[in-house]
Amino acid sequence: MRSTKNARWVWGSFALAVSVLVFVVPFAFIALNAAKTREEAQLFSFSWPQHFQAWDNLVAVFEANEFMILRAFTNSIALTVFSVTILVLFAAMASWIIERRGGVAAKLANGLVLIGLMIPPALVPTIFLLQALGIYGTFPSMVLVEIAFNTSFTIMIFRSFISTIPRELDEAAIIDGAGSLQLFFLIVFPLLRPILVTAIILNSVFVFNDFVNPLYFLPGEGTETVQVTLYNFSSQYLTDYNLLFMDILVITIPMVIMFAIFNKRIVAGMTAGAVKG
Amino acid sequence: MPLGIIFLGLYLLPTITSLYYSTQRWTLFDTTFVGLDNFIQFLQDPFLLNGVVNTFVYAFLTSGLKVTIGMFLGVLLMSNIKFRGLIRNIIFFPVLVSTIGIGITFQVLMKPDIGVLDGIVRLLGGPDVGILGSPATAIFGVILVDVWKGVGLATVIYLAGLSSIPQEYYEAAKVDGVTGWQNFRHIILPLLQPATNTVIILSLIGGLRSFDLIWAMTGGGPGFASDVLASLIYKQYQSGFFGLSTAGNVAMFVLILLLIVPLNKFLKSREVEV
């Protein structure tokens, strides 16, 4: 018994050391350089800052481009909250229907989902479409785009989860006289909670860290997302790496907070369904 | 039956999706029809072939590595070693961080000569690498970082897959006197097939479309050496060649379709019933 206990410690410590080396050290590099002066950060060395000016850099990051980062945070968080909320709600409903109802319509919808998962969205035609509708470059259109582009993935993880919920449950509710909306919100939705958490986290990460789609669909001033603020500090000839690294740290905070809150439930949600294809 | 939900789910969602998926494709075919020379021009782009090769190398290597490393880490974290939770969080953390931010950071770490990574290699007695500086290796530098960032998600998917394997299988195997390797080869591996499929499909699709990381780390350079389809398409778009860019998009989804559909069928056929 003694030796197996020791082995647990040895292997655990070893694995911990390796993962710290591989995964934490780059972040230590970011953090150290975020506290340096511009000149010192330019050396890209892995050393303790000679002039520790993390606070000054933080202030500079916030003041850059007339507090652009605050606008960007508002934009990004609003974008994430709106699109993920709508996406998760509708995807849950749609997956329920697709999974519970056979028939041509459900098959068709399922086919569309699979296609959506495989084929990358055609960006330029979407821009033309949005332009034709007169909403290109507006915030609501960006929300719609994020919803549409993440629908397939979300439905996929919901469906496999729903297939594990016994049918008898909804049948019983119907016999008891539950209407369809009642059935969904009172019976189904609470049952979906584990996978809901997984879907919310993964989609939030996708949307919040999305760089490509805002690049195409939200050009112009005032609508920047946080990912774009990273380019505040670099020009063709000169890059303020200290501020750039500080910015990386700052824009990661929302995701870290969310992860800290939901951490334990991520795997739980996936266990219950996501990988059963 | 739940009529209300049918209405919302089956009408509203496909309306949104069809708006953005189907309608697009219609417009798309329209565009290719009108200007077929766009398509030809894109195919004649001297850098396209290189871009296609890079796209495939990128997609296959990243998903292969994510499967191998992710499965290893998953199995490791399911065993009863210490600090499991902590290690899992550490591995998952990069998934949360902005891809562009990671890209810029590693671009700095991998800088030739002054970069930290080269410093470490030198310290170990190796030659100057400058992985991003040379056309032959730049794409592999990006691939390494992609795996580094994405392996956390693969690990979590594997953890989920592992914990859904019923305990009785292990117990039965133990009674039969199965060794550790046999246990892995004949019990864990087949029962993990669904998880493996999920990881493969997700990372292949992600790899074939990937753009952010390449854009932040090399911008497709040096020259056009590390361009992939997605970055070529963006460059066309940026320079105002909308037709060309769209043609590139068509090429990309034909490629993905040709690859993923048969692969998906094959992978599904290998799943066993639990």
Side-chain angles (χ1 to χ4, degrees):
Chain A
M1 264 340 260
R2 186 88 219 137
S3 71
T4 52
K5 202 178 170 200
N6 280 340
R8 285 180 57 197
W9 276 94
V10 170
W11 285 111
S13 316
F14 179 70
L16 183 65
V18 171
S19 54
V20 165
L21 199 68
V22 174
F23 290 99
V24 179
V25 166
F27 290 109
F29 179 81
I30 298 179
L32 283 176
N33 280 285
K36 288 178 180 175
T37 61
R38 201 172 68 87
E39 289 73 23
E40 210 191 339
Q42 218 73 45
L43 300 172
F44 307 122
S45 68
F46 213 125
S47 59
W48 192 257
Q50 283 166 347
H51 297 278
F52 192 83
Q53 52 168 36
W55 177 252
D56 296 343
N57 289 346
L58 188 66
V59 172
V61 162
F62 274 89
E63 282 174 346
N65 264 350
E66 292 157 20
F67 294 96
M68 175 174 152
I69 196 166
L70 294 181
R71 287 199 306 276
F73 259 117
T74 322
N75 289 337
S76 278
I77 291 175
L79 177 65
T80 310
V81 169
F82 278 116
S83 39
V84 173
T85 312
I86 301 173
L87 175 66
V88 165
L89 190 65
F90 284 134
M93 290 180 177
S95 337
W96 183 258
I97 294 301
I98 294 174
E99 190 60 33
R100 282 298 194 249
R101 288 220 132 190
V104 185
K107 275 229 171 69
L108 195 73
N110 195 28
L112 279 177
V113 167
L114 281 180
I115 289 173
L117 193 65
M118 282 184 266
I119 298 174
L123 300 168
V124 179
T126 314
I127 293 175
F128 290 152
L129 178 72
L130 292 174
Q131 273 169 344
L133 292 171
I135 52 171
Y136 173 66
T138 60
F139 186 75
S141 77
M142 187 70 234
V143 173
L144 284 179
V145 166
E146 292 288 3
I147 293 173
F149 288 179
N150 291 309
T151 297
S152 291
F153 172 73
T154 316
I155 290 188
M156 183 186 84
I157 60 175
F158 270 120
R159 272 198 52 208
S160 42
F161 183 83
I162 290 173
S163 65
T164 64
I165 300 176
R167 238 166 230 277
E168 290 78 32
L169 264 167
D170 31 312
E171 276 157 15
I174 292 165
I175 291 169
D176 286 348
S180 45
L181 282 176
Q182 260 182 321
L183 172 71
F184 185 78
F185 282 104
L186 296 178
I187 313 284
V188 180
F189 216 61
L191 285 172
L192 291 179
R193 238 186 63 183
I195 196 68
L196 220 53
V197 171
T198 311
I200 289 173
I201 291 177
L202 291 180
N203 278 310
S204 301
V205 172
F206 292 156
V207 175
F208 192 83
N209 286 340
D210 189 3
F211 174 70
V212 189
N213 291 320
L215 195 67
Y216 278 100
F217 295 105
L218 268 187
E221 301 261 316
T223 49
E224 298 91 350
T225 59
V226 288
Q227 304 307 317
V228 181
T229 63
L230 289 173
Y231 284 91
N232 257 351
F233 309 107
S234 55
S235 63
Q236 203 171 348
Y237 304 105
L238 208 70
T239 300
D240 295 329
Y241 278 102
N242 53 343
L243 303 185
L244 182 70
F245 287 130
M246 184 55 87
D247 194 25
I248 295 177
L249 292 181
V250 172
I251 65 174
T252 309
I253 293 171
M255 291 298 105
V256 173
I257 294 174
M258 195 187 62
F259 180 69
I261 297 172
F262 292 116
N263 181 11
K264 290 248 159 58
R265 310 221 179 116
I266 298 178
V267 179
M270 287 196 162
T271 314
V275 296
K276 286 181 183 153
Chain B
M1 279 312 260
L3 274 170
I5 312 169
I6 298 170
F7 175 71
L8 281 172
L10 265 187
Y11 285 82
L12 204 77
L13 245 179
T15 321
I16 300 172
T17 34
S18 66
L19 252 174
Y20 290 100
Y21 291 118
S22 322
T23 338
Q24 274 165 44
R25 235 162 290 130
W26 278 112
T27 347
L28 211 74
F29 283 127
D30 231 319
T31 337
T32 41
F33 240 99
V34 181
L36 205 66
D37 24 335
N38 268 332
F39 208 66
I40 297 167
Q41 208 182 328
F42 192 91
L43 287 175
Q44 282 171 343
D45 188 321
F47 305 111
L48 180 80
L49 186 68
N50 184 37
V52 172
V53 173
N54 278 343
T55 309
F56 277 101
V57 169
Y58 191 97
F60 279 107
L61 267 182
T62 48
S63 76
L65 287 171
K66 279 177 196 170
V67 165
T68 334
I69 304 174
M71 191 189 289
F72 171 76
L73 290 172
V75 173
L76 181 78
L77 293 181
M78 272 310 267
S79 67
N80 63 347
I81 59 167
K82 277 272 157 192
F83 313 118
R84 276 182 304 183
L86 186 60
I87 297 171
R88 179 172 70 86
N89 288 349
I90 289 175
I91 293 171
F92 193 76
F93 188 73
V95 176
L96 302 172
V97 183
S98 138
T99 314
I100 295 291
I102 297 272
I104 295 173
T105 308
F106 273 93
Q107 183 236 328
V108 167
L109 285 172
M110 289 178 166
K111 263 190 197 302
D113 299 330
I114 49 171
V116 171
L117 220 68
D118 269 25
I120 296 172
V121 175
R122 253 198 313 277
L123 210 70
L124 296 172
D128 282 350
V129 220
I131 192 162
L132 293 182
S134 131
T137 55
I139 188 85
F140 296 103
V142 185
I143 288 172
L144 278 181
V145 178
D146 187 299
V147 174
W148 179 86
K149 180 169 164 42
V151 80
L153 191 58
T155 308
V156 169
I157 294 175
Y158 271 115
L159 277 175
L162 280 164
S163 56
S164 68
I165 297 179
Q167 205 60 38
E168 295 88 63
Y169 284 88
Y170 299 120
E171 280 155 20
K174 215 174 179 179
V175 172
D176 291 343
V178 165
T179 65
W181 170 249
Q182 282 173 326
N183 197 11
F184 176 76
R185 176 69 193 78
H186 296 287
I187 297 177
I188 296 181
L189 207 58
L191 288 174
L192 271 185
Q193 194 66 42
T196 305
N197 293 354
T198 310
V199 175
I200 290 179
I201 295 290
L202 282 183
S203 53
L204 258 189
I205 292 169
L208 287 168
R209 297 179 187 184
S210 91
F211 171 78
D212 311 32
L213 207 56
I214 291 169
W215 197 247
M217 287 181 70
T218 65
F224 293 88
S226 64
D227 259 323
V228 290
L229 273 172
S231 65
L232 285 169
I233 291 170
Y234 183 69
K235 282 180 182 173
Q236 313 278 16
Y237 168 77
Q238 212 179 20
S239 3
F241 299 117
F242 296 138
L244 268 180
S245 179
T246 317
N249 244 324
V250 177
M252 189 151 114
F253 86 55
V254 169
L255 269 178
I256 295 188
L257 213 59
L258 284 177
L259 190 75
I260 302 281
V261 170
L263 186 75
N264 200 17
K265 279 227 168 76
F266 170 72
L267 291 175
K268 275 271 180 308
S269 71
R270 287 186 43 181
E271 283 183 19
V272 286
E273 285 292 317
V274 182

